[in-house]
Amino acid sequence: MKLRVLLFSLFFTCFSFAQEVAKQNNYSFEASPFHGFIMLHNPDITHLITGHPSGVMLGYNQKTYGDKDWHQWYNYPDYGFSFIYQNMGNPVLGNHYGLYAHFNFYFFKRNVQLHIGHGLAYNTNPYDKITNFRNNAYGSALLSSTILRWNFNKENIYKGLGLKAGVSIIHYSNASTKAPNTSTNTIAFNAGLTYTFIREEETYIRREKVKITEPLRYNLAFRAGINESDVIGSGRFPLYIISAYIDKRIGRKSAIQFGGDIFFSNFLKELIRYESVSFPEKNVAPDTDYKRAGLFVGHELFINRLSITTQLGYYIYSPYDFEGKVYNRVGMKYYIKKKLFAEVSLKSHAAAAEAVAFGIGVRL
């Protein structure tokens, strides 16, 4: 199940890119070595921070020129695929091999580049209770990974060759699909070369800006996933989320949201039973209701048929206190039809991930 969940995450992201076919077929490649350090975001991984991670990023970038309206909205970004090899600087943590789908956004006359990528990484030395019990960062070999890079970017300086250099953040986590999952965040400095293939003269299409207005939209979504509590070996259980919310478009790119969630997180059943028996001082009754309900506000950022959602919620019903009253969720939607979407999202409490969920919904 873990493998299918993570592979679908990458497929979902890649599928959205495959829908875009550029009329001007200009593209570039890059190779950027990097070197950095692991950020101490959790004291439980202190013993794992012993060296300096290093590696190399390879990327393919397809350029956009305005064939679609959203190209101009986002200042003609690139989209593509990238590969990362990373040595974590500690044999306990092993090495990573990652494959990502990404966007490159440009600022300051296209000299500054924001690279955002998400995909899957394979770790060579995950937790094992006998052979690698010190690795409490990765409970599984397959991980979800996110990259954020700010680069100074100068293309085609000489016969297609260019330079880029900047700062990267690389996150690895299995989103609590299996314990342990304290995860890691690498902060690294990168510098490398780009090569741009120019098949046609670059011409950026300028379209007349059209104001987009919509009435209130009513959304209903159902999500499901699988996860495990922080108690190693407690087992993985299914979870289900029913959400209803309204949204209001406030421009070409954005909509604001307000709504509610009902959570059926079955891992809490086992956690409640475990704590009621093992930690009587916590005064957890074994029949405590595991269900939760919350209200949230959110934002949706539209990029073609893909959109990115960010939501902040508060539990109005939560008999068992798990990680506090406030929760947050980040997700990606793909609009299969105008009113029908598929979604993958990560629910967290601050920086502590609870679960990845996959879903389907309607926007009426």
Side-chain angles (χ1 to χ4, degrees):
M1 178 66 181
K2 168 183 61 181
L3 176 61
R4 293 197 296 270
V5 166
L6 292 175
L7 286 178
F8 181 77
S9 176
L10 181 62
F11 172 78
F12 181 89
T13 305
C14 294
F15 180 76
S16 66
F17 286 109
Q19 304 307 302
E20 180 63 40
V21 178
K23 293 182 179 179
Q24 296 186 62
N25 191 24
N26 297 332
Y27 57 95
S28 68
F29 291 99
E30 69 165 285
S32 297
F34 63 89
H35 187 78
F37 61 92
I38 300 174
M39 183 173 64
L40 183 61
H41 72 286
N42 187 323
D44 291 342
I45 66 168
T46 303
H47 65 289
L48 298 174
I49 303 177
T50 60
H52 291 278
S54 60
V56 63
M57 306 178 190
L58 306 175
Y60 163 81
N61 306 296
Q62 175 67 61
K63 296 180 173 297
T64 63
Y65 294 97
D67 302 318
K68 303 289 185 179
D69 288 339
W70 69 272
H71 296 174
Q72 184 175 340
W73 298 353
Y74 292 95
N75 194 29
Y76 311 97
D78 306 333
Y79 61 91
F81 301 93
S82 48
F83 170 83
I84 283 185
Y85 163 75
Q86 181 173 351
N87 182 318
M88 293 302 295
N90 183 338
V92 173
L93 289 174
N95 302 325
H96 290 287
Y97 299 88
L99 182 63
Y100 305 79
H102 69 248
F103 280 107
N104 295 325
F105 299 98
Y106 291 93
F107 307 90
F108 301 105
K109 297 182 179 180
R110 305 187 73 81
N111 291 315
V112 176
Q113 180 191 81
L114 171 62
H115 172 106
I116 302 174
H118 181 73
L120 299 179
Y122 174 78
N123 178 261
T124 59
N125 198 27
Y127 170 85
D128 184 273
K129 64 181 180 181
I130 297 174
T131 62
N132 196 25
F133 61 89
R134 295 184 184 278
N135 186 355
N136 62 340
Y138 316 130
S140 58
L142 278 175
L143 305 170
S144 175
S145 183
T146 302
I147 308 170
L148 180 67
R149 288 194 290 164
W150 281 102
N151 283 312
F152 169 78
N153 184 72
K154 197 69 176 178
E155 294 183 335
N156 201 16
I157 297 173
Y158 178 74
K159 293 185 177 181
L161 283 175
L163 297 171
K164 66 167 43 180
V167 180
S168 307
I169 299 176
I170 309 171
H171 174 75
Y172 297 105
S173 167
N174 70 16
S176 293
T177 56
K178 188 176 181 181
N181 182 50
T182 49
S183 72
T184 62
N185 296 294
T186 300
I187 298 179
F189 299 95
N190 60 271
L193 297 174
T194 64
Y195 185 81
T196 305
F197 291 81
I198 302 293
R199 295 186 175 183
E200 305 168 9
E201 183 180 354
E202 293 186 300
T203 303
Y204 293 100
I205 300 172
R206 299 287 181 181
R207 298 173 180 268
E208 182 180 354
K209 293 183 178 180
V210 178
K211 186 178 181 180
I212 295 179
T213 59
E214 291 183 354
L216 286 176
R217 298 293 187 183
Y218 302 91
N219 298 258
L220 184 64
F222 174 78
R223 306 179 184 94
I226 190 169
N227 68 335
E228 184 176 19
S229 74
D230 292 336
V231 181
I232 298 173
S234 60
R236 290 176 285 174
F237 299 90
L239 63 96
Y240 309 100
I241 306 168
I242 299 173
S243 302
Y245 57 98
I246 59 173
D247 74 62
K248 175 60 179 174
R249 195 81 176 246
I250 55 174
R252 295 190 303 273
K253 302 178 184 179
S254 299
I256 54 174
Q257 305 169 335
F258 177 76
D261 299 304
I262 301 176
F263 302 96
F264 302 88
S265 303
N266 288 280
F267 83 99
L268 287 179
K269 288 183 180 179
E270 175 61 21
L271 186 60
I272 290 169
R273 185 201 64 81
Y274 170 77
E275 290 195 349
S276 69
V277 174
S278 302
F279 299 96
E281 68 275 13
K282 291 188 176 183
N283 296 317
V284 176
D287 59 350
T288 301
D289 191 0
Y290 73 99
K291 295 184 290 295
R292 294 168 292 174
L295 298 176
F296 68 85
V297 293
H299 176 267
E300 184 168 357
L301 181 69
F302 297 94
I303 309 174
N304 199 17
R305 296 173 72 173
L306 178 74
S307 71
I308 299 172
T309 57
T310 52
Q311 297 168 347
L312 181 66
Y314 183 85
Y315 295 116
I316 58 173
Y317 178 78
S318 180
Y320 175 75
D321 185 10
F322 179 76
E323 302 286 358
K325 291 290 188 180
V326 178
Y327 64 93
N328 47 281
R329 181 164 50 218
V330 178
M332 290 189 299
K333 286 182 179 180
Y334 180 77
Y335 283 90
I336 304 168
K337 300 287 186 180
K338 185 176 181 180
K339 297 181 180 181
L340 178 67
F341 60 84
E343 181 181 14
V344 57
S345 61
L346 172 66
K347 177 172 176 274
S348 306
H349 299 89
E354 180 181 324
V356 166
F358 299 86
I360 193 164
V362 292
R363 181 174 185 256
L364 304 175

